[in-house]
Amino acid sequence: MTIRQPTHTPYDGSSKLFTIGLKPLEIERWIEVDEFLLPHLAEKQRLYADIPEKVFVEEADTRDAQSEVLALLSPHLIAKHPRSHCGTGSDVEVIGLATATDRLPPTLRNAPLARASLLVQEDLILMRRDERGWRLAAGSLCFPSSWSLQEKFGKPLQEIHAPVPGFGPGTRPAELINRMFDGLQGQTVERFNWSIQAGDALYHPLSNIQRIDRATNRPTRFADGDINAHAFMRVERQTLRKLPVSSDILFTIRIHLDPLKVLDAHPDRATLAASFVEQLLALDQQQLDYKGLTADRDRLVAFLNGIAGSA
């Protein structure tokens, strides 16, 4: 059986944790489509049906900007992903599925951002500028990485990032991020973030700090201790693109999940595992707690050292 290798490996040292790391992105690579498109969209549809208030928010005056998102996505998907998407103009569909509108609960069928979200695997967040900075004005977040859309709705970036070590209000990184958002014009940029989670759940809203190991009283991901069976690498590919009419910024988040153990079959497993270990060991206590890795780091390091040693 062929083992699927990770699409992105930012833990190779190219995207270090707790750094901004924005890089230019060719527009041709803006949206990613892979073999998980249909199951990911099915999971989004399930979440919309079960907990719509937790996965979609919008300010009342964002519908025009939401329509901009749909208008940008539609021709891009038709042109760049003709095997999975078809249509003309802004009328685009996923091949083999009902229209996005038909797959939404009635209360969201007129929300263009919700419709757009059922065309792609990415989550879609609209950021809007006011006197406080860039705030979360609307969003479809079906696959959160340990944060709550309802909790962050309406807040500016510095408050959204307040729990992140070194990125809270008044810090240099917080100021830099706001300046980068202000300076974003026609270009599209991307960055990567990554973490390790227990299990392969895409919907992952619970804060790491809420996962406490009873023995250490520290955040944990692997209460049962079975790294080989349950550890998954969660990679977030994030992009930023300013909308041409509203000047709002579209923030996309694409989640990639791979079992940690697949690294053992990677042709560069020794290099990847060694870099992974180096970055885990470089995290300080506050960063480990934020990532939920304090109680598990030593076990993860030992597991990865075993992969590196088998090369």
Side-chain angles (χ1 to χ4, degrees):
M1 181 179 69
T2 302
I3 297 177
R4 181 185 184 275
Q5 295 300 329
T7 303
H8 302 289
T9 57
Y11 35 80
D12 60 6
S14 59
S15 297
K16 294 186 178 180
L17 296 175
F18 302 101
T19 60
I20 298 172
L22 285 174
K23 299 176 183 178
L25 173 66
E26 301 87 356
I27 197 61
E28 290 77 13
R29 298 195 301 109
W30 179 34
I31 299 298
E32 293 186 336
V33 174
D34 62 19
E35 68 269 31
F36 299 114
L37 175 65
L38 295 186
H40 283 192
L41 295 184
E43 176 65 358
K44 283 190 177 188
Q45 185 177 351
R46 182 189 71 81
L47 292 165
Y48 272 129
D50 293 348
I51 50 171
E53 73 286 352
K54 292 184 178 181
V55 297
F56 188 83
V57 295
E58 61 175 342
E59 293 180 357
D61 61 349
T62 59
R63 287 288 176 93
D64 286 347
Q66 292 182 42
S67 293
E68 274 192 86
V69 173
L70 189 57
L72 284 175
L73 272 175
S74 297
H76 178 87
L77 292 170
I78 293 168
K80 302 302 177 183
H81 301 287
R83 292 185 177 181
S84 55
H85 295 78
C86 64
T88 56
S90 61
D91 186 16
V92 61
E93 297 179 7
V94 179
I95 296 172
L97 291 181
T99 63
T101 303
D102 292 339
R103 291 181 282 130
L104 285 166
T107 55
L108 294 180
R109 286 177 184 168
N110 292 323
L113 195 67
R115 289 162 51 202
S117 75
L118 287 182
L119 298 174
V120 295
Q121 290 161 268
E122 283 82 356
D123 283 323
L124 307 172
I125 305 293
L126 267 182
M127 304 298 294
R128 176 165 288 183
R129 189 77 159 85
D130 65 16
E131 67 280 357
R132 300 174 299 162
W134 291 89
R135 73 179 189 278
L136 200 166
S140 167
L141 184 75
C142 292
F143 306 146
S145 296
S146 302
W147 62 285
S148 163
L149 184 62
Q150 290 173 309
E151 179 187 331
K152 306 296 185 183
F153 181 41
K155 292 184 177 180
L157 280 170
Q158 60 268 26
E159 291 182 26
I160 290 174
H161 290 146
V164 183
F167 280 74
T171 62
R172 185 171 181 273
E175 294 174 3
L176 282 174
I177 292 172
N178 265 306
R179 278 192 297 223
M180 288 175 181
F181 271 59
D182 286 340
L184 193 65
Q185 298 302 326
Q187 73 275 37
T188 304
V189 296
E190 74 174 344
R191 71 180 295 270
F192 288 89
N193 191 18
W194 56 270
S195 57
I196 303 174
Q197 72 177 52
D200 60 353
L202 287 164
Y203 181 67
H204 199 264
L206 192 62
S207 164
N208 298 326
I209 297 172
Q210 294 173 272
R211 298 179 174 87
I212 301 297
D213 181 87
R214 294 180 180 178
T216 64
N217 199 36
R218 288 286 187 180
T220 184
R221 290 281 178 101
F222 306 101
D224 61 6
D226 192 344
I227 300 294
N228 185 63
H230 299 296
F232 278 74
M233 300 174 288
R234 186 181 184 99
V235 171
E236 301 171 62
R237 178 184 181 261
Q238 305 171 357
T239 77
L240 294 169
R241 182 176 182 180
K242 180 165 281 190
L243 301 181
V245 179
S246 65
S247 293
D248 292 344
I249 288 177
L250 175 64
F251 174 46
T252 76
I253 312 166
R254 171 65 202 280
I255 300 300
H256 293 268
L257 279 172
D258 296 287
L260 186 60
K261 61 187 177 183
V262 301
L263 292 184
D264 199 26
H266 198 284
D268 296 323
R269 62 185 180 276
T271 301
L272 285 176
S275 176
F276 218 136
V277 167
E278 180 182 354
Q279 295 193 66
L280 288 174
L281 293 176
L283 297 177
D284 63 29
Q285 189 63 65
Q286 195 176 15
Q287 293 169 337
L288 283 169
D289 285 350
Y290 177 78
K291 284 290 184 180
L293 295 173
T294 302
D296 308 301
R297 179 174 66 175
D298 290 348
R299 282 179 287 170
L300 288 166
V301 166
F303 183 84
L304 289 163
N305 278 333
I307 290 176
S310 68

